Amino acid sequence: MSTITQLIHSLPVDPQTGAIAVPIYQTSTFVQEAPGVNKGYDYARSNNPTRETAEKIIAGLEGGAGASAFSSGLAAIDAVIKLLKAGDEIIAVDDIYGGAFRLFDKVYKKFGIHVNYVDTTDVSAVFNAVTPATRLIWLETPTNPTLKISDIEAIAKIAKAHNILLCVDNTFASPILQQPLSLGADLVVHSATKYLGGHSDLIAGVVISKTEQLAQEIKFYQNACGAVLSPFDSFLLIRGIETLPLRIRQHVQNAQQVAEYLEQHPAVDKVFYPGLASHPGHELAKRQSKGFGGVISFTLKNDTAAAATAFVTSTNYFKLAESLGGIKSLLCHPAAMTHKSIPDEKRRAAGVSDSLIRLSVGLEEYTDLISDLEQAFKKIPVVQTIVNA
């Protein structure tokens, strides 16, 4: 059975009414037959039929034993870090999402959890960073925003050899393109706000666990800390997932065309997209993924924030906004937006330069998107050395 057929038929028909769409159980509590005797639900923070359905669908997509849905991607990340204790260490990808860095550095650091940022594209660097206190390896692959590719299977072997948990942020790839649990990861997180939801109309996060034990631990923190996904947002998430394979297919096709256009543009310095043969992670991405995703980043030869600002404020179809993964194309300037919370020195060391621009390529006709970028390039200042030449 194909992935799309399996997904469509994993959406249950309501047993009470025959409704083809999953109902929204917009209730805070459930009537019990006797104290502790109920139909599987007692209080909507602990469980809700609509949220439970979304969790089961996503667990199935990732091949996990269970999933927990949260009110944001950061709430999902937070639940994973709660598996640790004071004195534990995390090895984290150096090119990390700014929100995750802020959570690690500003919240958990003061509770005694240390994070060692490593270039995880170098498997030996990960191995050498392991200490007796290491309890978690945190990967993004592809990374946000420079699209680095890390070898999940190789790093999973390191983690298993040292009894370390491996968690992969699979937001950029989606389970349609990449399934980290099948490559040895223990946990997968998604900002479901992005591709899983797909319509820029909800905030959500998900943790998928490989084992039932881990699933129950994450479920405990979901209930104990309370950052649960609402019934209505769970419904929206299910609705978005229904078309996930079709949307991802078009995102990938459009992104490939846009990336190839950018690679030959005279105003562009570097293009970061795993679908290009010039990308250092291209062959690895081909092995561990079924496609290269819908996000592209690039830097300008005029490597200044002013040039990047001129570009991102000159597009028409690409809308300047945080986030990604929706049907409409978006772009952002990470240094001033998504990664502003990361100190400049650390940000630049990870490859996020002042002129780096991130594109979330949507579902529009790719020729229109390229035309939009072309006219925006005409608005940026020309590099002085080029003028003198």
Side-chain angles (χ1 to χ4, degrees):
M1 185 187 301
S2 70
T3 300
I4 190 167
T5 302
Q6 183 178 1
L7 169 59
I8 289 171
H9 289 277
S10 71
L11 304 168
V13 173
D14 181 46
Q16 294 188 20
T17 65
I20 197 72
V22 176
I24 304 170
Y25 286 90
Q26 194 68 46
T27 184
S28 61
T29 194
F30 301 84
V31 174
Q32 302 188 29
E33 299 169 19
V37 180
N38 55 58
K39 295 179 173 62
Y41 308 95
D42 52 14
Y43 189 59
R45 172 172 41 75
S46 302
N47 207 357
N48 175 280
T50 313
R51 188 174 78 235
E52 183 180 58
T53 298
E55 292 169 339
K56 287 180 178 178
I57 292 168
I58 296 168
L61 280 173
E62 286 284 9
S68 295
F70 294 85
S71 56
S72 71
L74 276 170
I77 295 172
D78 181 70
V80 172
I81 307 308
K82 284 187 169 74
L83 296 171
L84 308 181
K85 64 182 186 305
D88 288 347
E89 293 183 0
I90 301 170
I91 295 173
V93 58
D94 58 350
D95 176 26
I96 194 169
Y97 163 55
F101 176 84
R102 182 177 58 233
L103 181 66
F104 293 168
D105 190 63
K106 303 300 183 184
V107 178
Y108 280 102
K109 184 177 180 180
K110 66 183 180 182
F111 293 123
I113 294 176
H114 174 71
V115 182
N116 185 10
Y117 296 95
V118 172
D119 179 2
T120 57
T121 64
D122 182 353
V123 175
S124 63
V126 177
F127 178 82
N128 292 332
V130 173
T131 75
T134 305
R135 294 292 177 267
L136 175 67
I137 298 174
W138 186 272
L139 294 184
E140 295 174 17
T141 183
T143 60
N144 180 10
T146 64
L147 287 300
K148 292 180 181 177
I149 305 296
S150 297
D151 190 331
I152 298 171
E153 191 169 18
I155 293 173
K157 290 177 181 178
I158 295 172
K160 294 293 180 295
H162 294 86
N163 196 29
I164 298 167
L165 289 173
L166 172 60
C167 183
V168 177
D169 185 331
N170 202 31
T171 298
F172 272 32
S174 89
I176 302 304
L177 299 181
Q178 180 173 268
Q179 295 181 318
L181 297 181
S182 69
L183 296 170
D186 301 291
L187 296 156
V188 170
V189 300
H190 283 274
S191 173
T193 309
K194 280 60 172 193
Y195 288 108
L196 294 182
H199 292 77
S200 304
D201 57 7
L202 70 108
I203 300 291
V206 189
V207 181
I208 306 96
S209 304
K210 187 170 187 175
T211 66
E212 183 63 32
Q213 179 181 344
L214 271 175
Q216 289 303 315
E217 288 185 63
I218 296 294
K219 184 65 69 175
F220 170 82
Y221 289 116
Q222 180 196 44
N223 182 48
C225 300
V228 297
L229 193 63
S230 74
F232 184 68
D233 283 343
S234 297
F235 168 81
L236 289 177
L237 181 55
I238 294 167
R239 190 280 314 270
I241 290 172
E242 289 175 351
T243 59
L244 180 62
L246 299 175
R247 288 187 287 104
I248 290 295
R249 184 187 306 168
Q250 193 63 39
H251 284 301
V252 172
Q253 290 177 2
N254 281 356
Q256 186 70 37
Q257 295 290 334
V258 172
E260 290 174 5
Y261 157 77
L262 290 170
E263 192 171 41
Q264 56 78 41
H265 198 283
V268 172
D269 185 28
K270 295 178 182 177
V271 180
F272 305 92
Y273 184 66
L276 297 174
S278 59
H279 190 286
H282 177 68
E283 292 301 323
L284 175 58
K286 283 170 62 176
R287 291 200 305 272
Q288 70 182 18
S289 304
K290 297 176 182 177
F292 304 109
V295 178
I296 305 166
S297 291
F298 64 97
T299 56
L300 301 171
K301 287 183 178 175
N302 185 344
D303 190 20
T304 63
T309 299
F311 186 92
V312 300
T313 55
S314 298
T315 53
N316 296 312
Y317 297 131
F318 283 91
K319 304 300 184 184
L320 179 61
E322 305 269 355
S323 201
L324 56 100
I327 61 171
K328 291 182 179 179
S329 292
L330 303 176
L331 84 171
C332 79
H333 181 208
M337 297 171 69
T338 56
H339 289 63
K340 190 176 181 178
S341 61
I342 299 177
D344 287 350
E345 183 178 344
K346 185 178 290 291
R347 169 178 59 78
R348 292 192 184 100
V352 186
S353 71
D354 290 344
S355 75
L356 187 135
I357 295 164
R358 189 187 73 189
L359 305 179
S360 173
V361 181
L363 305 186
E364 302 92 341
E365 179 61 43
Y366 77 84
T367 54
D368 294 327
L369 297 177
I370 289 174
S371 295
D372 188 28
L373 296 174
E374 184 64 29
Q375 64 83 29
F377 276 119
K378 297 175 182 177
K379 308 292 178 62
I380 64 175
V382 179
V383 181
Q384 190 64 40
T385 54
I386 296 177
V387 174
N388 292 338

